[in-house]
């Protein structure tokens, strides 16, 4: 029996040509695996058949939308995960779920190698290969574009020579990756950090007219997970999808940043994350209502560490698992409702309530009936400032 490689298959030019290219260059049979993460576009059955037509010995399609939302996006929401305080890890979160299925299929179909369509310049090569090695160290990794010199011009020529069923249209100047959590856009005109994104960049969001009225939504959370919108029960996937549809027409979730890639270069990246922006803003504000001060402060530093690990392809690392345990524990009181006003590119929390609230009106109010004993403040300040006071006396000598 021939050796086999399972290829993470998108249905596009590079991975379609990669099927035959891998077989020609390595002698291995190719199994194609396409994973539906809510990216939309072509019908997945069409993608499955294209892989067979391009020479795959087997073609598998997995509907992982709910799995992605439940097992990968929700932990990120609990962590309020944003790389460099901005990017909600759209692509970084999708790679470990694809890896999970690559490893499963490799073992089920006796594949000894995993392949992906990444270049040697990006983060995703690390995310795929580090994930595979963490779950299945017996498997090898190979990347046709990086390892087997499959350039785009060679891919086009190969497709034409072999009459592959790939329609070639005018090349989109952008490199795009998308799933239900958001959409990433890079390259082309965006490689100039001074160039403003044109309207052709956007798909998940629209530039709203000036007279578009605001929308409001109330999100119900249980232990950090959204469970209802405006009182109607939803799954995590449904919450994301519905908030994408609500916030996108308001232009919410457009992000334009200079990003520090794992491989050491800076890259200009544009993201669209309407639903993610609404959910993270709401979740973080509910935490501010129900979480003890020191836990809240410490968690904010942990969130940055968690985001760095996931961005750097270490989803399956021991430190990531340990941070998950801490974050999950912090979510026990994070239940309640948050009202968000969505308008002109912004998702602003305008109300929050919870049975777990630590807000005490009688202590916080400045009106009559205040139960906060201000006489305690003077002594507190003396004790709090004592280390600085002593140091100041020493330094003045």
């Amino acid at each position: 029996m021939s050796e086999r490689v399972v290829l993470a298959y998108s249905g596009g030019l590079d991975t379609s040509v990669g099927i035959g290219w891998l077989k020609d260059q390595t002698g291995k049979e190719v199994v194609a695996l396409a994973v539906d993460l809510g990216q939309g576009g072509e019908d997945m059955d069409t993608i499955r058949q294209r892989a067979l037509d391009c020479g795959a010995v087997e073609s598998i399609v997995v509907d992982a939308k709910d799995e992605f939302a439940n097992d990968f996006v929700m932990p990120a929401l609990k962590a309020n995960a944003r790389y460099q305080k901005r990017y909600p890890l759209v692509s970084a979160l999708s790679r470990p779920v694809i890896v999970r299925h690559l490893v499963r299929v490799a073992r089920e179909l006796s594949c000894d190698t995993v392949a992906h369509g990444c270049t040697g310049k990006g983060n995703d090569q690390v995310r795929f290969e580090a994930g595979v090695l963490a779950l299945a160290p017996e498997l090898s990794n190979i990347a046709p574009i990086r390892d087997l010199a499959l350039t785009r011009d060679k891919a086009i020529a190969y497709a034409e020579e072999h009459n592959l069923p790939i329609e070639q249209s005018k090349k989109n100047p952008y490199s795009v990756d998308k799933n239900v959590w958001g959409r990433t856009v890079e390259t082309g005109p965006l490689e100039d950090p001074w160039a403003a994104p044109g309207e052709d960049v956007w798909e998940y969001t629209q530039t709203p007219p000036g007279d578009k009225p605001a929308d409001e939504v109330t999100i119900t959370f249980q232990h950090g997970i959204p469970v209802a919108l405006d009182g109607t029960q939803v799954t995590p996937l449904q919450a994301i999808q519905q908030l994408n549809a609500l916030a996108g027409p308001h232009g919410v979730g457009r992000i334009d940043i200079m990003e520090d890639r794992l491989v050491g270069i800076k890259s200009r990246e544009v993201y669209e994350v309407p639903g993610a922006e609404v959910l993270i803003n709401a979740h973080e504000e509910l935490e501010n209502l129900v979480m003890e001060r020191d836990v809240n402060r410490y968690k904010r530093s942990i969130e940055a560490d968690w985001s760095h690990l996931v961005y750097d392809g270490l989803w399956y690392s021991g430190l990531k698992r340990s941070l998950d345990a801490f974050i999950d524990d912090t979510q026990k009181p994070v239940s309640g409702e948050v009202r968000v006003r969505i308008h002109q590119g912004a998702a602003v929390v305008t109300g929050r309530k919870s049975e777990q609230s630590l807000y005490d009106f009688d202590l916080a109010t400045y009106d009559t009936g205040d139960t906060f004993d201000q006489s305690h403040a003077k002594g507190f300040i003396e004790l709090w400032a004592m280390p600085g006071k002593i140091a100041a006396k020493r330094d003045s000598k």
Side-chain angles (χ1 to χ4, degrees):
M1 182 177 177
S2 299
E3 292 182 326
R4 284 184 162 190
V5 53
V6 55
L7 170 68
Y9 183 65
S10 69
L13 172 69
D14 291 337
T15 53
S16 293
V17 171
I19 293 171
W21 195 267
L22 277 166
K23 185 175 181 181
D24 293 345
Q25 298 292 318
T26 68
K28 297 177 184 288
E29 294 180 340
V30 179
V31 175
L33 172 66
V35 182
D36 184 358
L37 300 176
Q39 60 265 35
E42 284 190 297
D43 180 79
M44 295 302 289
D45 286 336
T46 300
I47 291 175
R48 184 190 67 80
Q49 185 59 49
R50 181 178 301 135
L52 295 172
D53 294 340
C54 288
V57 294
E58 295 194 48
S59 182
I60 300 167
V61 169
V62 176
D63 182 349
K65 294 191 294 294
D66 280 300
E67 177 186 0
F68 177 52
N70 294 337
D71 297 350
F72 295 84
V73 175
M74 289 301 102
L77 178 59
K78 290 178 181 179
N80 299 314
R82 289 184 172 108
Y83 180 66
Q84 292 182 240
K85 300 182 180 180
R86 302 282 304 284
Y87 166 45
L89 303 173
V90 172
S91 296
L93 288 171
S94 73
R95 299 330 185 207
V97 66
I98 297 172
V99 164
R100 177 190 281 181
H101 288 284
L102 284 169
V103 168
R104 175 183 60 80
V105 170
R107 287 172 168 166
E108 290 177 356
L109 299 182
S110 301
C111 302
D112 63 351
T113 305
V114 168
H116 57 79
C118 304
T119 73
K121 192 179 288 188
N123 301 311
D124 284 337
Q125 58 178 335
V126 181
R127 295 163 181 162
F128 276 117
E129 296 183 28
V132 169
L133 292 172
L135 295 183
E138 73 277 9
L139 295 176
S140 299
N141 286 280
I142 193 167
I145 296 174
R146 184 193 65 198
D147 303 334
L148 303 177
L150 179 58
T151 59
R152 189 168 183 87
D153 57 336
K154 289 180 181 178
I156 293 172
Y158 188 97
E160 292 174 348
E161 179 184 350
H162 293 80
N163 296 315
L164 298 182
I166 304 168
E167 294 182 7
Q168 287 302 309
S169 57
K170 184 178 180 180
K171 183 177 181 289
N172 188 318
Y174 305 112
S175 174
V176 177
D177 180 54
K178 55 185 179 178
N179 56 56
V180 72
W181 193 231
R183 180 172 175 268
T184 77
V185 190
E186 61 182 11
T187 72
L190 298 176
E191 290 182 341
D192 178 0
W194 186 253
E199 286 299 316
D200 61 335
V201 168
W202 313 112
E203 179 185 327
Y204 283 13
T205 63
Q206 296 83 48
T207 301
D211 59 352
K212 183 175 177 60
D215 281 306
E216 278 193 345
V217 62
T218 298
I219 306 169
T220 304
F221 290 89
Q222 285 185 3
H223 308 304
I225 301 296
V227 296
L229 299 180
D230 291 329
T232 301
Q233 186 174 351
V234 291
T235 65
L237 176 62
Q238 290 169 338
I240 300 165
Q241 290 171 327
Q242 291 177 30
L243 290 172
N244 279 339
L246 182 66
H250 287 275
V252 168
R254 291 183 173 182
I255 299 171
D256 182 351
I257 64 172
M258 293 304 303
E259 189 170 300
D260 290 316
R261 285 189 179 179
L262 171 59
V263 295
I265 64 176
K266 287 187 180 289
S267 175
R268 200 275 188 84
E269 305 285 341
V270 171
Y271 300 104
E272 292 184 281
V273 288
E277 186 78 2
V278 176
L279 282 169
I280 294 173
N281 288 356
H283 176 265
E284 191 171 36
E285 186 56 25
L286 181 58
E287 286 186 327
N288 290 339
L289 180 67
V290 303
M291 201 174 283
E292 296 169 61
R293 181 192 63 192
D294 292 342
V295 175
N296 201 20
R297 287 178 176 177
Y298 189 71
K299 181 174 181 288
R300 296 296 174 247
S301 66
I302 292 299
E303 290 169 358
D305 294 335
W306 193 97
S307 299
H308 290 155
L309 287 170
V310 175
Y311 185 88
D312 290 348
L314 298 176
W315 178 273
Y316 294 109
S317 68
L319 178 55
K320 156 72 167 47
R321 288 194 300 273
S322 296
L323 294 184
D324 281 337
F326 168 77
I327 291 170
D328 282 341
D329 189 69
T330 69
Q331 299 303 290
K332 291 176 181 177
V334 186
S335 299
E337 294 184 347
V338 181
R339 185 178 64 245
V340 183
R341 186 176 189 268
I342 300 169
H343 189 233
Q344 293 296 314
V348 179
V349 172
T350 61
R352 69 290 280 159
K353 62 181 180 179
S354 170
E355 293 183 359
Q356 306 298 320
S357 173
L358 297 180
Y359 174 77
D360 186 324
F361 175 84
D362 292 335
L363 287 172
T365 183
Y366 286 86
D367 293 335
T368 302
D370 174 14
T371 60
F372 187 93
D373 189 343
Q374 298 190 42
S375 67
H376 294 162
K378 184 173 178 60
F380 166 75
I381 295 169
E382 286 289 334
L383 295 176
W384 182 256
M386 188 177 294
K389 179 180 179 181
I390 295 170
K393 288 182 178 179
R394 177 202 65 192
D395 296 342
S396 67
K397 291 179 181 179

